[in-house]
Structure formats: C-alpha cells, structure tokens
C-alpha cells in the first residue's frame, strides 16, 4: 500500500483522493505550510498554479526524494486567452527546476474534477488520466494507483509532453467556459 | 450548395471529401500545381505540412478571397518529439501570414482519417471536428458543411487556438505511434 499525500482539498484534491482510496491505497490531506509533515512518498499538489511557488517555498526541502504531481493549468485567469508559462515550456518543467531533488510528474490537468469523481467523461466514456514525466518508475507508480482506483491512466511521454498536456487543459477550459462542453465532460481519450 | 475544393487525395482528403458530399455539397479534387483552376470558395489543403509552401507558391494568388483550411500537424517527422513551428505560433498562423488575402482556418488536424470516415472515435464515440479561425463567417460555413455531413463540429476559438489544436494533434500522434490509441480512435470531445 502506498500513501499518497494531497495538498489541497478542493474539487480536484477530493476527487483524486477518492480514486486513491478506492484502489486500496492510503490518502492523507496536508496543508500548504509545513505545520503538518508529509508522510507519503507520492505528493499531489492539488492547488491552482498560483499557489505552487508558496508550496515550493514552504515544503521544497521536504519534497526532496518524493514523487511530486503537478495538476495545474497555468492560465492567465484574467484573459483566459493564454498561458503564463514560456511558450516552449510548461508549469511542470518550471516546477521540476524549482524542485531538483523531486521526481515531478504532470497528471490530472486534462481531467475535470467531475470526470474523476464519476470515472466517466459525459455519460458513458471512461475517464483517462494522462501522465507525463521523465522518471519511468514514478510514472508507473502513479498510473498503477489510478488504475487500482478504477480509472484508466496512460503514459503520455516525457515531462516535455507536459507542454502539450497543458495545451489540452487550456483548450478544454476555454471550451467549458464557453459552454461548448460540460464541466462533467470535455476531452476523452479513446483507445 | 457550396463547392469545396480539396488539394490532396490521400486518406484525409478522401475522408473530408466524403463528409462534404454526404452533406449535399459539391467536392472537387484539384492538384497542387495551378494546372487546374480552383472553383470552390472553400479550399481544404489536405496535404502534409511540408507541402504547404509549394502550394502557396503555386496557388497563392488564386487562393486570395477564399477560405483556406489548414489540416496539418507540423511535426518534426524525424524525431517525433517536437513541432517545427515557433513555440508561440502555429502552422496555421504562418499560413495566414503567407496568404494575407485568404481567410485561414485550422480544422481536422485533431481527427484521424478513420474517425472522419466512420464518424466515430473508436467504436461508439461521435467524432467532433475542432475549428479555429479569426473569421466567424468562414468558420461557421465550415462547421455547417461538416455538420451537414453527419459529423459534429465545434468552434474552438480564434486562430490563436491553432497552437493548442496543433498540440492536441501532436500528442495524439505520439500516442498512436506508441500504440496507446488506435488510428481509428484517439482524442474525442464529449459535450
């Protein structure tokens, strides 16, 4: 049994915690500051992109040696028309630079919370979590945890692919805001 | 009835032509060089990205005033690890610069040919064509033609969103090459 620590108890953190628990693994929710220790080997940062720097500052040393999962969509929330990361990079690669002793993965950013909670995109299409990262063992560990919880997960490649995953998340958010897809639906991967 | 001219008679051009015809609109296939005139008001460039410059050189003046649809995924086909366009741009925006008198749309690049031919992604999920462009009338004309042919189509925003559509197409191709999705499946949009 793996312990997954989740920072953030909003819709996304709650839904991810539900998947972890459904697969028989342990979940702990911890705060952004360092008042409670992190006991899990795998830590999901289920917070908006604007909170990542704060967590790195407060918890960076503690995250060394752990698998850290970035789920953010780094949108400019004022314009909803661009990302705030360099065009040739991603929020995940920036996080990896800020946490050089951690193994950073990108995952869950292409899934709306409701699709993780219900395990379907819309009424019937099974939800798939796309996972990118440079450490194959870390990636497989997360994929196994998600699949154990009854949700499909696919290795989407190296951490460089986080750029494309963030593009997918961005596009999906613009379509949802314009009511072209529901918040319980969106992009699905069909094998 | 609209006449749609298609340059390129491979899998994609054939599938797109089938949709156009199914909707009761006219299709003509024309060559890359200027030996045959283009009579349609809407022209689909159903060719690899490496052929666009040749078409611009041969047909650029003739494409003035027309709606031009870019379907390409501008991958570096040697590495399959990056796009060949600037990180903050897209092949479609480059084409729009090269064809300043045309109204350029991005469409079909997130759809594998088989999903256009069968109208489903995988066995059952309806295919959706994502369309981006700066000219709303042009965009609506293409969306109407696709829907008339029995395939869903969604306005994905301005031509700036072509960058995200090309990211989706790129990601989908990497997943197919690694056999994580079938060439008859891939990314589906669920409303």
């Amino acid at each position: 049994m793996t312990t997954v620590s989740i920072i953030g108890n909003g819709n996304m953190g709650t839904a991810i915690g539900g998947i972890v628990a459904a697969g028989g693994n342990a979940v702990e929710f911890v705060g952004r500051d360092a008042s409670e220790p992190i006991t899990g080997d795998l830590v999901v940062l289920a917070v908006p992109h604007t909170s990542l720097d704060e967590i790195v500052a407060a918890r960076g040393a503690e995250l060394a040696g752990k698998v850290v999962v970035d789920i953010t969509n780094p949108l400019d929330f004022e314009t909803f028309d661009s990302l705030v990361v360099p065009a040739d990079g991603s929020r995940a690669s920036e996080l990896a630079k800020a946490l050089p002793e951690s193994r950073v993965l990108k995952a869950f950013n292409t899934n709306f919370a409701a699709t993780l909670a219900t395990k379907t995109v819309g009424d019937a299409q099974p939800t798939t979590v796309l996972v990118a990262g440079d450490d194959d063992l870390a990636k497989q560990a997360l994929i196994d945890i998600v699949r154990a919880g009854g949700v499909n997960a696919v290795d989407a490649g190296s951490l460089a692919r986080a750029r494309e995953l963030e593009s997918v998340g961005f596009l999906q958010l613009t379509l949802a805001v314009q009511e072209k897809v529901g918040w319980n639906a969106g992009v699905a991967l069909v094998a």
Side-chain angles (χ1 to χ4, degrees), chain A:
Chain A
M1 189 179 74
T2 304
T3 296
V4 176
S5 302
I6 302 178
I7 300 180
N9 55 9
N11 288 346
M12 286 296 290
T14 305
I16 294 165
I19 292 171
V20 173
N25 290 293
V27 185
E28 67 173 15
F29 286 92
V30 293
R32 298 177 188 193
D33 63 29
S35 57
E36 309 152 285
I38 292 173
T39 65
D41 292 325
L42 199 148
V43 185
V44 180
L45 307 185
V47 299
H49 71 89
T50 46
S51 297
L52 291 180
D53 288 345
E54 172 194 349
I55 291 171
V56 168
R59 298 276 205 182
E62 199 180 1
L63 293 172
K66 296 186 185 292
V67 178
V68 175
V69 183
D70 168 33
I71 75 159
T72 65
N73 281 304
L75 262 74
D76 181 331
F77 289 127
E78 290 188 8
T79 66
F80 247 77
D81 196 42
S82 65
L83 298 179
V84 297
V85 291
D88 60 352
S90 68
R91 192 63 186 88
S93 64
E94 291 186 342
L95 185 68
K97 279 178 210 141
L99 297 173
E101 304 297 319
S102 303
R103 286 163 288 164
V104 171
L105 304 178
K106 186 91 198 182
F108 300 111
N109 77 296
T110 65
N111 307 106
F112 287 145
T115 70
L116 294 171
T118 64
K119 306 181 184 181
T120 62
V121 183
D123 293 333
Q125 186 63 46
T127 300
T128 298
V129 176
L130 295 169
V131 184
D134 289 336
D135 187 299
D136 285 339
L137 291 178
K139 203 159 42 174
Q140 194 59 49
L142 179 61
I143 289 171
D144 289 345
I145 288 167
V146 172
R147 288 181 179 164
V151 174
N152 194 22
V154 166
D155 180 349
S158 72
L159 199 63
R161 285 295 83 73
R163 183 183 152 197
E164 283 69 44
L165 297 187
E166 292 179 9
S167 288
V168 173
F170 172 27
L171 182 70
Q172 181 174 242
L173 281 165
T174 68
L175 294 173
V177 164
Q178 295 174 73
E179 301 184 353
K180 287 170 184 161
V181 299
W183 292 97
N184 66 332
V187 170
L189 193 76
V190 181

